[in-house]
């Protein structure tokens, strides 16, 4: 099973040739802690998203503007079947999106179960900045987005529709995260002023029940930012992350003195200690105020993309299952 998982993950990587040429994966068994601002870090292989974020930071932009610009890249990319446009639909054939964003002041915005809007992260930011609320959901989130001038679009691509129709033949739902290529993007950034922000956006689990919401738009589960301490994002099976308040836990562990790496490892152990983790993946990424980072996943084959000290590269995460 693990061999197959590795194989599928590697063949998936082959589809990204132009960016892949820029940087070969390196190993995170001994995660480096080279501090340096600005910094951008993303779950999975997201070289282009990091580049978009870093372009904002290099012009003196804020970490908040950077993470929004960064995650908009996979949101609009039809080759990314786990985020935004081109995302695989739920079991009723509908693309429903979850996203959240958090800034250095502790402000947060989120949308869940949102249909027809290509950039849910920008709607989440509008919720944060233009409403007294943190989260809008479903039809209400859509109405808000339309009132804000976002365009209503069909996000179900022919490729995603075909995958859904194939899935309907058996209609068996078994989330095995790496195999399904769930490349939800969670992105964290530190700008030149040393301020932290984060964003997370996803179409969630493929062929999920209609109405299912994962961890990604939940502040404290999929994402948490505390500008005094650090920030964390999660990817993988949202149910496992939500039950352990994953991203908040990682930040709180850093507050108690753990390094980002130690904090990610401990948060993953909270899951492996209580849940039957054999068939699912969860990966955590974290940074602290000093610009150190860490990553840890339950299963192998979790990787992330780090831009720091003028280098943008993909790094393999350490994992609980070897
Ligand atoms: C979810 N956490 O909806 C997301 C899925 C994911 O990489 O992260 N996939 O549960």
């Amino acid at each position: 099973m693990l061999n197959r998982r590795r194989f599928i993950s590697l063949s998936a990587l082959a589809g990204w040739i132009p960016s892949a040429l820029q940087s070969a994966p390196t190993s995170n068994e001994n995660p480096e802690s080279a501090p340096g601002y600005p910094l951008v870090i993303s779950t999975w292989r997201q070289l282009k998203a990091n580049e978009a974020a870093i372009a904002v930071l290099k012009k003196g932009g804020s970490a908040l503007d950077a993470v929004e610009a960064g995650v908009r890249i996979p949101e609009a990319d039809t080759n990314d079947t786990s985020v935004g446009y081109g995302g695989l639909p739920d079991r009723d054939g509908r693309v429903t999106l979850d996203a959240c964003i958090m800034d250095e002041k502790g402000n947060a915005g989120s949308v869940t179960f949102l249909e027809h809007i290509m950039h849910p992260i920008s709607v989440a930011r509008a919720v944060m900045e233009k409403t007294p609320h943190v989260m809008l959901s479903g039809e209400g989130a859509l109405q808000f987005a339309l009132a804000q001038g976002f365009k209503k679009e069909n996000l179900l691509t022919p490729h995603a529709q075909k995958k859904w129709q194939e899935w309907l033949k058996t209609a068996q739902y078994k989330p095995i995260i790496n195999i399904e290529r769930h490349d939800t993007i969670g992105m964290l950034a530190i700008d030149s002023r040393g301020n932290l922000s984060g964003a997370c956006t996803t179409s969630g689990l493929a062929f999920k029940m209609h109405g299912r919401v994962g961890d990604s738009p939940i502040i404290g589960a999929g994402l948490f930012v505390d500008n005094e301490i650090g920030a964390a994002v999660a990817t993988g099976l949202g149910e496992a992350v939500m039950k352990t308040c994953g991203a908040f836990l990682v930040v709180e562990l850093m507050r108690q003195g753990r390094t980002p790496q130690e904090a990610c490892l401990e948060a993953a152990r909270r899951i492996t200690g209580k849940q039957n983790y054999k068939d699912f993946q969860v990966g955590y990424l974290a940074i602290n105020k000093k610009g150190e980072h860490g990553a840890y996943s339950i299963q192998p084959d979790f990787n992330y993309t780090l831009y720091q000290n003028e280098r943008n590269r993909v790094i393999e995460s350490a994992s609980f299952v070897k």
Side-chain angles (χ1 to χ4, degrees), residues 238-284:
E239 281 73 5
V241 175
M242 283 191 276
K243 285 187 269 189
T244 49
C245 297
F248 183 72
L249 175 62
V250 172
V251 174
E252 287 309 297
L253 288 164
M254 290 193 286
R255 190 191 306 280
Q256 291 162 22
R258 311 265 181 125
T259 64
Q261 184 67 22
E262 290 165 352
C264 289
L265 187 149
E266 173 60 22
R269 283 214 180 127
R270 295 284 171 99
I271 297 174
T272 56
K274 287 210 178 100
Q275 300 180 37
N276 182 5
Y277 60 87
K278 300 249 158 27
D279 276 344
F280 65 80
Q281 172 68 300
V282 167
Y284 287 113

Side-chain angles (χ1 to χ4, degrees), residues 34-102:
Y37 305 160
L39 174 156
V40 177
I41 194 167
S42 302
T43 53
W44 306 105
R45 174 170 285 261
Q46 291 288 358
L47 290 158
K48 287 181 185 155
N50 275 19
E51 279 163 21
I54 211 74
V56 172
L57 296 181
K58 282 192 165 170
K59 281 190 224 135
S62 67
L64 181 68
D65 286 341
V67 294
E68 182 188 7
V71 305
R72 282 172 64 100
I73 300 296
E75 280 186 340
D77 182 356
T78 52
N79 292 319
D80 193 324
T81 54
S82 310
V83 181
Y85 187 32
L88 293 174
D90 66 16
R91 67 185 190 181
D92 295 352
R94 292 164 76 160
V95 180
T96 72
L97 306 174
D98 295 338
C100 75
I101 194 159
M102 200 165 179

Side-chain angles (χ1 to χ4, degrees), residues 43-44 82 98 177 181-185 200-205 208 212-217 222 234-239 241-242:
T43 53
W44 306 105
S82 310
D98 295 338
I177 298 296
R181 270 204 78 210
H182 275 273
D183 293 350
T184 292
I185 183 165
C200 191
T201 178
T202 186
S203 53
L205 299 185
K208 60 196 175 185
R212 181 264 185 190
V213 171
D215 61 314
S216 303
T235 182
L237 185 68
E239 281 73 5
V241 175
M242 283 191 276

Side-chain angles (χ1 to χ4, degrees), residues 175-228:
I176 302 176
I177 298 296
N178 282 341
I179 290 177
E180 286 181 308
R181 270 204 78 210
H182 275 273
D183 293 350
T184 292
I185 183 165
M187 179 183 278
L188 307 171
I190 312 182
D191 61 30
S192 50
R193 291 170 288 279
N195 284 329
L196 277 63
S197 291
C200 191
T201 178
T202 186
S203 53
L205 299 185
F207 320 126
K208 60 196 175 185
M209 288 177 71
H210 188 60
R212 181 264 185 190
V213 171
D215 61 314
S216 303
I218 310 292
I219 300 298
L223 170 72
F224 196 71
V225 177
D226 183 326
N227 203 44
E228 286 172 21

